[in-house]
Amino acid sequence: MRQLKGITHRWPMHSFHDRKSFGEAHELRICAELETRNWAVNPWGQSILREEIRRAIARTRWANFPDLVAVRDGDLVAIDAKDRMSSADTGRYAVSQKCVSFGLQFIAAFGVPIFYVFGNLGVLTPQEVMAYGSRGPRGLGGSYYLINGRLAHQFDDVFGHPAVYGQKERNQDEVA
């Protein structure tokens, strides 16, 4: 069993509802972490769409659209929450090859960076997953890149440390 903010699940999670509930909890955690670092963040992926649209998108490449969009100081980023994509046994993350391919094309088309944020708040980009990952065995859900979790960046190193941005805000208030 695994628990995140009051939600407990047995693995594997087979129903879409179970996966969606757990994924949404992870997205909320990421939003809260970003907001403490002065990022403005909004949901952006399939979770904001109606069920019939989600079902149609699931059959297309758009199924890999990032979950969140955030901005701070004019810097726009997309975030794909990947909570269930790590192995406690091997310390590796797994990211679908389709997701990485979509991420690379998204970056090329729009110039907006995408960050994969895992359950332990480790952060990788599609470029890093493709460069440093190895192709795993093809499972029922398709092929995956497997990447050592030690290669992930710390959340604070990518998005800033909460104390730094909290202090910056207080200093600006004092000047005003």
Side-chain angles (χ1 to χ4, degrees), residues 20 25 73-74 77 87 93 130:
K20 185 173 181 287
D73 300 331
V77 299
S87 168
Y93 301 126
M130 188 171 170

Side-chain angles (χ1 to χ4, degrees), residues 6-23:
I7 300 174
T8 303
H9 290 285
R10 294 189 185 279
W11 298 101
M13 287 188 280
H14 295 289
S15 81
F16 172 77
H17 178 70
D18 285 346
R19 291 190 312 271
K20 185 173 181 287
S21 295
F22 204 72

Side-chain angles (χ1 to χ4, degrees), residues 4 8 12 16-18 24 29 36 44 50 70 75 83 89 100 113-114 118-119 135 164 170:
L4 177 65
T8 303
F16 172 77
H17 178 70
D18 285 346
E24 286 174 351
R29 178 180 178 211
T36 66
W44 196 32
R50 293 174 17 187
D75 293 327
D83 185 62
D89 297 332
V100 172
I114 294 179
F118 299 91
R135 290 180 186 234
V164 172
R170 283 190 294 277

Side-chain angles (χ1 to χ4, degrees), residues 65-140:
F65 210 79
D67 303 304
L68 304 167
V69 62
V71 66
R72 181 182 70 198
D73 300 331
D75 293 327
L76 181 67
V77 299
I79 297 165
D80 203 348
K82 300 277 183 209
D83 185 62
R84 297 178 305 106
M85 307 307 285
S86 64
S87 168
D89 297 332
T90 65
R92 295 184 297 185
Y93 301 126
V95 182
S96 83
Q97 290 181 17
K98 289 179 183 178
C99 184
V100 172
S101 175
F102 182 87
L104 293 169
Q105 292 176 45
F106 181 93
I107 293 165
F110 303 113
V112 175
I114 294 179
F115 295 99
Y116 301 135
V117 179
F118 299 91
N120 64 356
L121 296 182
V123 180
L124 291 166
T125 66
Q127 299 94 320
E128 292 167 332
V129 171
M130 188 171 170
Y132 306 130
S134 60
R135 290 180 186 234
R138 181 171 173 78
L140 295 176

